[in-house]
Amino acid sequence: MLRKTIITLFCLLTILFTTAKAQSTYTMPHLGTDTMYLTGGLCMTILDPGGEGQYENNEDSYLYIISDTWFYMQVDYMLGVQSDGKDWVKIYHDTILTTNDLKDSLTGDGSKTYTSGQYRTVIHFHSNSYSCYDGFRIRIRYENTIYNWSYTPQTSSSVQLSWNDYNESNSGWTVYYWWDADSVLSLQSTTKSATISDMRNDTWYAYYIVNNDYYCQNHTIKNMCALTDTTSSVLMASAGITTRDTLEDIRCYTLQGPSGNGSTNLYYTILQQMPTTFSTKATESI
């Protein structure tokens, strides 16, 4: 199915944090050259000359993108048989006069993310006189201004989140979180903190935070877990002995180090997404 409607987790999350902000869509010309100016963090989606449908034969168009800041480009594309290479998208940095500035040449099907050139980025699309395909979609994203993310477990079913943001927000922030990718939850906050309750015990959660006034930022997914059940901790054996334990899927664990007279207890939190075998060699007590 066409990449323009692909529903992977990443694209699904992209849709979630772009719909509430005014989103502009631009369709490249069938032939010729055009220039796009990105100012003030403009939300923009760029489509091939076919728009939401298939492109035509013998397309050949250029788009110069000029921005007052550097940005990310998320490219989803379906351009036919990769070994054929007759339909393609070329991405250049700063100029199109030399091959030294060629960032990438895309054929076949796929999804990639790039950063822009320092001054401008050029998109060159070309199709041959044979089969036509769904083409490409380029989503413009900007650097995330949220920083110093942290979480503090409160109970076995809740955590306290806090963060800073280089940008203020008139409409607050949204926290998206999930332990199952098919069930993304959200929480609104008017301050740079939030408490998430009703979490699954001993379960790994993923989350990210969105400034509601800046939906076109490139968001990073982080991880959190409520307090673990100490009765199910993974206990490291005595010094000099190797211990192996199989960790369950998406479960949170606490790893306790060796202890005794003159020793200090060592505690680590292991967040494990997939079932695996954990092996460690215990060290001497400190």
Side-chain angles (χ1 to χ4, degrees):
M1 186 59 182
L2 108 103
R3 281 294 188 274
K4 295 171 185 173
T5 57
I6 187 170
I7 308 180
T8 61
L9 173 60
F10 182 78
C11 290
L12 173 61
L13 297 181
T14 299
I15 293 170
L16 283 175
F17 58 66
T18 56
T19 51
K21 183 79 171 180
Q23 178 80 24
S24 299
T25 300
Y26 167 85
T27 301
M28 291 183 63
H30 291 282
L31 296 170
T33 301
D34 203 353
T35 301
M36 173 186 295
Y37 294 91
L38 296 176
T39 58
L42 178 65
C43 284
M44 180 63 65
T45 297
I46 302 168
L47 303 178
D48 63 78
E52 295 293 349
Q54 293 186 337
Y55 55 81
E56 298 178 0
N57 293 325
N58 303 312
E59 308 269 23
D60 196 67
S61 60
Y62 299 83
L63 176 63
Y64 286 75
I65 305 175
I66 300 175
S67 176
D68 54 4
T69 184
W70 66 278
F71 55 90
Y72 297 94
M73 295 178 293
Q74 178 198 329
V75 186
D76 299 314
Y77 56 96
M78 179 173 281
L79 301 168
V81 181
Q82 185 171 4
S83 59
D84 180 342
K86 299 298 178 62
D87 296 352
W88 44 258
V89 176
K90 291 184 178 180
I91 300 174
Y92 294 83
H93 277 180
D94 302 326
T95 182
I96 202 167
L97 300 179
T98 67
T99 57
N100 292 334
D101 291 317
L102 178 63
K103 181 69 174 180
D104 205 353
S105 180
L106 305 177
T107 62
D109 304 339
S111 180
K112 291 186 176 182
T113 299
Y114 305 94
T115 55
S116 65
Q118 183 177 0
Y119 301 106
R120 64 182 179 182
T121 297
V122 182
I123 309 298
H124 182 195
F125 173 64
H126 173 83
S127 65
N128 63 15
S129 57
Y130 300 102
S131 300
C132 298
Y133 300 93
D134 294 323
F136 63 87
R137 177 188 296 268
I138 301 175
R139 295 181 176 90
I140 303 298
R141 299 288 175 266
Y142 302 92
E143 181 69 3
N144 196 339
T145 59
I146 295 175
Y147 65 101
N148 285 350
W149 303 28
S150 66
Y151 80 92
T152 303
Q154 301 294 303
T155 68
S156 60
S157 61
S158 67
V159 299
Q160 176 73 31
L161 299 177
S162 63
W163 62 91
N164 289 316
D165 195 335
Y166 291 113
N167 293 322
E168 292 302 319
S169 177
N170 294 321
S171 52
W173 291 262
T174 302
V175 179
Y176 293 96
Y177 62 101
W178 65 95
W179 66 272
D180 181 349
D182 294 327
S183 301
V184 179
L185 304 173
S186 64
L187 177 68
Q188 298 289 328
S189 177
T190 57
T191 64
K192 301 183 187 73
S193 65
T195 298
I196 298 180
S197 304
D198 299 324
M199 298 175 64
R200 291 165 57 98
N201 186 32
D202 287 352
T203 300
W204 161 285
Y205 279 75
Y207 76 101
Y208 65 92
I209 303 168
V210 174
N211 185 321
N212 295 333
D213 291 340
Y214 297 88
Y215 262 75
C216 291
Q217 292 185 356
N218 191 45
H219 300 292
T220 301
I221 296 175
K222 294 200 173 187
N223 311 296
M224 62 181 175
C225 183
L227 290 174
T228 60
D229 179 2
T230 56
T231 61
S232 61
S233 297
V234 179
L235 180 62
M236 182 181 288
S238 302
I241 298 178
T242 298
T243 302
R244 299 176 67 90
D245 289 280
T246 300
L247 307 185
E248 298 179 19
D249 187 15
I250 70 168
R251 189 172 184 179
C252 243
Y253 289 86
T254 298
L255 178 62
Q256 183 174 330
S259 62
N261 293 333
S263 301
T264 298
N265 289 336
L266 307 177
Y267 295 96
Y268 301 85
T269 299
I270 299 175
L271 301 178
Q272 187 64 45
Q273 285 184 289
M274 299 298 293
T276 187
T277 299
F278 175 80
S279 177
T280 184
K281 186 68 175 289
T283 58
E284 295 293 336
S285 299
I286 58 175

